[in-house]
Amino acid sequence: MVFSYLPAIILLAPLMAGLIIGLFSRRLGPKVCHIGVAAEVIAFIGALAVLYDVTTTAPRTIHLSPSGQGFWQISLHLDRLAAVMLVHIAAISGLIHLFSLRYMQQERGYARFHSLLAFTTFVLFGMVSSANLLLLFIFWQLLSWLVPLLSFNYEHTPTLRGAFRTFIMQRAGDVAFLGGIFVAARVYETLELAELFTRATAVSSTLILWPGGMEIHATSAITMLIFISAMSKSAQFPFHMWLPDSLYAPTPVTAFLHAGIINAGGFLLARLAPLFALSPITLHWVFAAGMLTALLGSSMMLVQNDIKKTLGYSTIGQMGFMIMECGLGAYGLAIFHLIAHGLFKGSIFLNCGYVIHAARQDPRLPRRHTPVEAPEFSSLAWVTGFVTTLILPLIIVLGAHGVLNIALGDSQGTIIFLFFGWATSSQAILTLYRLRAVASWKVAVSMLSALFIVVVTYLFAAESFTHFLFPAPGEVARHFGAGALPAALFDLLVTAFALVIVAGWILIYAASHGRTISVPAWTDKLQVAVYLLLINRLYLDTFAIKLQTRCTTLLDGLNRSRSFPYIAGLLAVALALVNWAPSLTMTPRQVLQLVAVTLMLPLFPMHVFYVAALSRTSGYLAATLAVLLPAAGSLGLADLAQELPRDILRMMNVLALVGAVYGSIKALAQVRMPDLVAYASVAFFSVLWWYFTASGTFNVAVFVYITAVALLTAAQLIAWQLLRKRYGNLTLNLFHGLARPMPRFATLFMLCVMAAVVLPPFALFSGPLKMSVLTSGALSFGLIVALFTWFVASWYLFRMMQRLLFGHHRAEIRYLDLHTTEVVGLLILLSISALLVAMPSAWINMEPVDHSQRATMELLLWHK
């Protein structure tokens, strides 16, 4: 009986702490932040109790929503994996909360930071204990929102730039995750993890990439999309660029990020291990991505001269090893690696931050030390390094597995330990070589003995931990078997890696003794080129900057062009007419009604009137029109739902997809908030038209979607009108820095943007999700465009919020926060948008599937 309340207590403790700190910090003072530490202590004790219970009894699933809710089941699954992660997160978060009480005391936004830290802990708790793939995704994308917010520093431009890149790259992973959810929902008709694993094992479903084209297994498509999301969270190449940029954030943020948040990718793969076991090809891609990231991250770490960047690239390399372990089916080893890395990397970041902070606060100049001549490089140093990096890991693995009675050839996942030992010890020994630290037998023997003890202990603990997490008979062997590489390929990889290390030590030995080895002349140039490539972060940042500059130039040109909308509109209409000649069976009343509906629910190219109505009128009138026009248009759309000919719907489908892309691109180039909001509404309503023309129905999901878009558009226009009343009609480029002097406005506007980028608990999250799953096909071309629109909307809406709220405080402006009546008005709009989620919905009513038959579904088709 007591156990049933523990999960709720664990989740609610940080959630309530975040709310109390955020709402009452001004009234109660900075000491209210101590509530966060108390909440983490409560959560930690509860997590220990849950771990004991699931270890001594059995896993439990707790349903928090009524039965019969379809995909919207809210339930928690607490097994050994979830319990271990709850303990780990609570411990890390509690230490960082405690450290931040004094470390962040002089920072502006002290209470805001502690509130967001508590919310992030709540989201992590919910993510690791979710029993439903959709609920897991909700917490997953909330984490993508909270991570950049934690990093914000109003005074530091690189921090703002890094926070934006973090959000965009993680949002790209969220789009892939959502695509995987759509495929899983349409193929297996469930998102409950236990049921999903059962149905995926029972039925063999394939997807056709194009008519008569290549087929792909449904589980491969789902797992590949979800793995892309895991790559973005765990900074796998090429999604690794956001992690070094996040190092500008305060030390507690970087510690929490490197100790817990970045490990989310490894947890996701372990949680969905039964699904990944059905797709060996995906596991091979996982292994390849992890190996590439491990090599690049470890190599880039060696050329850094900043302590935080060194630790940051070290984390990228370690995450590569963790993903490699998952790719070989060694999920237990990956989770153990996750926990061990989180503990030591979190403590290292906190200590480094403390040292840097103390050095900046110390008024004394650094003492000048007399340089001491380093001793000569000895053969002992070379022997020690060679044994440590090559021979010792092999001896430990062979000996340990002989004692543990595990066949080395049957568990490739354990060989990953060699990669880990070789790369990590090579980095350590290279550092010692540069410092000339190994100069005596005592140092060499002590170092080798310590390494031997640590590694053997690590290996024994990892093996025991693997069987603790997966106690079912044959489960570990099944995972190893699914991720096993061809023996010849795996042997080639191990041999090549060993030869590289041997060659490196031979070159070091020869150079240290004044000897030369005959090598081609091009090797010197190659070394310089590789060094420049690594120190410049593979030139990916330069490429991203150039791409952004060219895209900005193109968007500015399109924004200034008056003829572009009409040319695009004519081309879209021509394309639609050429492909589908509409039937002429419509009555004059239907024609007039259709024209009126396309004006009020702006269908491209009729959107110009809607854009003019919102962007060229005063704020309150524009907000009123943003509600009244969609309300009237929805009535007309409901009346036309069963009357429009199919050819008309097909033609409008083309216009809807063009409008979605066009509205998104136009919004990216806007600097006036009314224009940006207007084009964003065009993009959102184009998604509505796509769904309507694909399904031909008007249901509750459509009503919720229209209402949510109208309310949020009105809320943002009203917020802008309130600013215009105070400061005039400034553009987003000139008006910024509102977060600190106007906390009420900043909080409400942030909630508006949070709702607009399709985050729960607002209705704009549930509306398009239901509509998208209701469409025919697993992943149609229109759905791809809808996902693209969602990603671009996140891009420009987050950028708008960043420009408006954050940045340098303008001294010449006298900031005035919102009055109580203004706050109430915006809160009403946001509350209605949130309450719409609770409305009865036309959710999917599907017939039972005959899992004995082989299902074939179409992917990337225009229409059936």
Side-chain angles (χ1 to χ4, degrees):
M1 186 66 180
V2 177
F3 178 86
S4 60
Y5 294 101
L6 282 179
I9 293 174
I10 295 172
L11 267 68
L12 289 178
L15 177 62
M16 296 305 299
L19 291 173
I20 293 173
I21 296 172
L23 295 175
F24 303 105
S25 59
R26 289 199 170 190
R27 182 177 302 177
L28 301 178
K31 288 188 176 181
V32 72
C33 297
H34 289 75
I35 295 177
V37 179
E40 296 307 322
V41 172
I42 294 173
F44 180 73
I45 295 174
L48 287 176
V50 169
L51 178 61
Y52 174 78
D53 185 86
V54 298
T55 302
T56 55
T57 56
R60 299 171 181 263
T61 301
I62 302 173
H63 297 284
L64 303 179
S65 62
S67 59
Q69 296 297 313
F71 291 115
W72 294 99
Q73 287 283 355
I74 302 177
S75 52
L76 304 178
H77 180 67
L78 298 171
D79 57 359
R80 295 185 178 187
L81 175 61
V84 166
M85 293 303 299
L86 287 175
V87 173
H88 173 69
I89 295 168
I92 294 292
S93 181
L95 292 175
I96 293 175
H97 266 86
L98 187 62
F99 180 87
S100 303
L101 289 178
R102 292 190 61 185
Y103 186 87
M104 299 291 293
Q105 197 166 14
Q106 303 301 322
E107 297 289 334
R108 293 191 177 106
Y110 178 72
R112 173 188 63 85
F113 170 80
H114 280 275
S115 179
L116 289 175
L117 195 60
F119 285 137
T120 305
T121 305
F122 158 73
V123 168
L124 288 172
F125 283 159
M127 185 183 70
V128 300
S129 58
S130 297
N132 182 284
L133 193 61
L134 181 59
L135 184 62
L136 194 156
F137 170 72
I138 289 175
F139 288 113
W140 186 269
Q141 67 162 342
L142 283 174
L143 190 62
S144 301
W145 176 262
L146 288 170
V147 168
L149 288 184
L150 275 172
S151 303
F152 272 122
N153 185 321
Y154 307 148
E155 311 295 338
H156 196 228
T157 302
T159 303
L160 295 174
R161 185 168 56 247
F164 179 70
R165 177 176 288 186
T166 298
F167 177 76
I168 292 303
M169 287 197 169
Q170 297 204 5
R171 204 62 170 165
D174 294 346
V175 172
F177 199 148
L178 190 58
I181 287 178
F182 287 144
V183 178
R186 295 301 300 177
V187 175
Y188 301 116
E189 302 172 346
T190 183
L191 293 178
E192 290 293 315
L193 293 180
E195 185 67 19
L196 178 63
F197 300 153
T198 302
R199 294 188 182 183
T201 305
V203 64
S204 178
S205 302
T206 59
L207 304 175
I208 304 175
L209 296 181
W210 54 83
M214 184 180 67
E215 293 185 356
I216 183 174
H217 200 278
T219 53
S220 297
I222 296 169
T223 52
M224 192 67 73
L225 288 169
I226 292 178
F227 172 59
I228 293 174
S229 185
M231 290 175 65
S232 67
K233 276 288 191 297
S234 291
Q236 299 298 292
F237 180 85
F239 293 95
H240 69 284
M241 291 187 292
W242 67 267
L243 188 62
D245 291 336
S246 69
L247 296 174
Y248 294 107
T251 291
V253 177
T254 55
F256 199 26
L257 185 63
H258 290 253
I261 296 173
I262 198 174
N263 298 311
F267 163 78
L268 182 64
L269 298 181
R271 170 54 75 203
L272 302 179
L275 194 62
F276 278 84
L278 300 175
S279 178
I281 185 63
T282 301
L283 289 177
H284 296 340
W285 279 107
V286 171
F287 174 81
M291 182 173 63
L292 181 61
T293 304
L295 293 175
L296 292 176
S298 301
S299 300
M300 286 187 284
M301 185 201 77
L302 294 174
V303 300
Q304 302 302 316
N305 54 10
D306 179 86
I307 185 172
K308 268 196 167 185
K309 286 186 177 181
T310 301
L311 293 175
Y313 283 105
S314 171
T315 298
I316 294 176
Q318 295 299 314
M319 291 302 99
F321 285 116
M322 181 185 69
I323 296 299
M324 283 177 69
E325 292 159 356
C326 292
L328 292 176
Y331 299 106
L333 184 60
I335 296 299
F336 186 81
H337 190 168
L338 180 157
I339 295 173
H341 173 265
L343 291 174
F344 80 75
K345 189 57 69 70
S347 61
I348 287 176
F349 261 103
L350 293 180
N351 280 282
C352 288
Y354 172 78
V355 171
I356 294 172
H357 182 74
R360 290 174 177 172
Q361 298 297 322
D362 193 345
R364 297 172 297 177
L365 293 175
R367 298 180 181 178
R368 294 185 177 181
H369 297 279
T370 304
V372 179
E373 185 177 353
E376 290 293 330
F377 183 79
S378 63
S379 299
L380 178 61
W382 183 87
V383 171
T384 304
F386 186 85
V387 171
T388 303
T389 57
L390 184 65
I391 299 177
L392 189 60
L394 183 61
I395 293 175
I396 293 172
V397 171
L398 291 173
H401 283 282
V403 175
L404 292 174
N405 196 25
I406 296 178
L408 199 61
D410 297 335
S411 62
Q412 288 181 354
T414 56
I415 306 298
I416 196 66
F417 180 79
L418 286 175
F419 287 84
F420 175 78
W422 286 340
T424 304
S425 55
S426 296
Q427 294 167 358
I429 291 298
L430 184 58
T431 303
L432 294 174
Y433 158 65
R434 289 187 298 182
L435 298 176
R436 312 287 183 174
V438 183
S440 67
W441 282 103
K442 293 182 179 180
V443 175
V445 171
S446 300
M447 187 177 64
L448 291 174
S449 301
L451 181 64
F452 183 85
I453 294 172
V454 170
V455 173
V456 168
T457 304
Y458 185 93
L459 184 60
F460 271 91
E463 291 293 345
S464 302
F465 191 70
T466 297
H467 293 284
F468 171 78
L469 287 181
F470 304 101
E475 188 174 9
V476 175
R478 185 168 63 253
H479 292 323
F480 279 140
L485 295 173
L489 175 61
F490 192 79
D491 293 341
L492 177 64
L493 290 175
V494 174
T495 304
F497 200 81
L499 291 177
V500 169
I501 293 178
V502 171
W505 280 112
I506 291 174
L507 291 174
I508 290 176
Y509 180 81
S512 63
H513 288 74
R515 300 177 184 175
T516 58
I517 298 177
S518 179
V519 293
W522 56 266
T523 56
D524 292 333
K525 296 181 179 180
L526 180 62
Q527 291 179 15
V528 175
V530 170
Y531 178 83
L532 291 176
L533 184 67
L534 296 176
I535 197 67
N536 288 286
R537 298 166 59 169
L538 308 179
Y539 295 103
L540 289 177
D541 293 282
T542 304
F543 173 77
I545 293 173
K546 289 183 178 179
L547 181 63
Q548 182 179 356
T549 302
R550 294 191 176 184
C551 290
T552 302
T553 303
L554 176 62
L555 292 175
D556 290 340
L558 294 178
N559 192 39
R560 289 192 299 267
S561 175
R562 295 184 179 181
S563 60
F564 175 71
Y566 305 103
I567 295 175
L570 290 175
L571 290 176
V573 172
L575 177 64
L577 291 175
V578 169
N579 283 276
W580 295 284
S583 61
L584 302 177
T585 58
M586 295 180 64
T587 64
R589 180 191 65 82
Q590 291 176 331
V591 173
L592 292 176
Q593 192 175 5
L594 180 60
V595 172
V597 172
T598 54
L599 285 173
M600 292 179 286
L601 296 173
L603 179 66
F604 186 85
M606 307 291 282
H607 70 283
V608 291
F609 303 99
Y610 183 84
V611 171
L614 295 190
S615 62
R616 298 294 180 262
T617 56
S618 63
Y620 293 123
L621 178 58
T624 304
L625 292 175
V627 175
L628 293 181
L629 290 178
S634 62
L635 296 176
L637 188 63
D639 188 47
L640 287 172
Q642 304 299 327
E643 298 182 9
L644 291 178
R646 188 63 184 172
D647 290 335
I648 292 290
L649 292 177
R650 289 179 175 177
M651 183 185 71
M652 296 172 68
N653 184 274
V654 179
L655 297 177
L657 297 179
V658 173
V661 177
Y662 174 80
S664 301
I665 293 176
K666 285 287 289 186
L668 284 171
Q670 305 306 314
V671 294
R672 293 183 65 251
M673 183 172 168
D675 295 337
L676 189 154
V677 173
Y679 281 109
S681 298
V682 170
F684 281 124
F685 280 121
S686 296
V687 174
L688 164 71
W689 279 109
W690 160 73
Y691 166 74
F692 174 72
T693 55
S695 63
T697 59
F698 186 98
N699 49 35
V700 177
V702 174
F703 172 78
V704 169
Y705 183 82
I706 294 174
T707 307
V709 173
L711 289 175
L712 293 174
T713 302
Q716 293 182 70
L717 291 173
I718 290 175
W720 184 251
Q721 179 63 20
L722 294 176
L723 293 180
R724 288 182 60 187
K725 288 172 56 178
R726 287 166 168 79
Y727 313 111
N729 193 18
L730 299 176
T731 63
L732 292 171
N733 290 331
L734 300 176
F735 198 29
H736 43 73
L738 304 183
R740 193 170 69 245
M742 300 177 64
R744 288 184 176 182
F745 175 83
T747 301
L748 291 172
F749 191 75
M750 191 179 297
L751 290 175
C752 287
V753 176
M754 182 177 174
V757 298
V758 199
L759 285 172
F762 301 99
L764 199 55
F765 170 77
S766 61
L769 190 64
K770 296 176 183 179
M771 288 161 40
S772 300
V773 178
L774 280 166
T775 56
S776 61
L779 200 60
S780 64
F781 180 77
L783 184 57
I784 297 293
V785 176
L787 291 173
F788 171 79
T789 303
W790 178 52
F791 172 71
V792 178
S794 300
W795 183 298
Y796 55 70
L797 289 171
F798 191 86
R799 173 64 80 186
M800 175 187 65
M801 183 195 73
Q802 190 180 42
R803 287 177 175 177
L804 196 61
L805 301 185
F806 304 102
H808 295 292
H809 181 75
R810 297 188 61 176
E812 69 275 15
I813 294 180
R814 182 171 177 265
Y815 294 94
L816 296 173
D817 207 351
L818 299 183
H819 306 305
T820 303
T821 54
E822 297 170 334
V823 171
V824 171
L826 289 176
L827 274 178
I828 290 175
L829 293 177
L830 289 171
S831 300
I832 296 174
S833 178
L835 292 175
L836 284 173
V837 179
M839 290 189 60
S841 58
W843 198 226
I844 302 176
N845 296 316
M846 293 184 174
E847 298 295 330
V849 176
D850 185 3
H851 294 292
S852 63
Q853 298 181 355
R854 183 177 182 269
T856 301
M857 303 192 67
E858 294 180 337
L859 181 67
L860 300 182
L861 294 182
W862 194 268
H863 274 293
K864 283 189 175 180

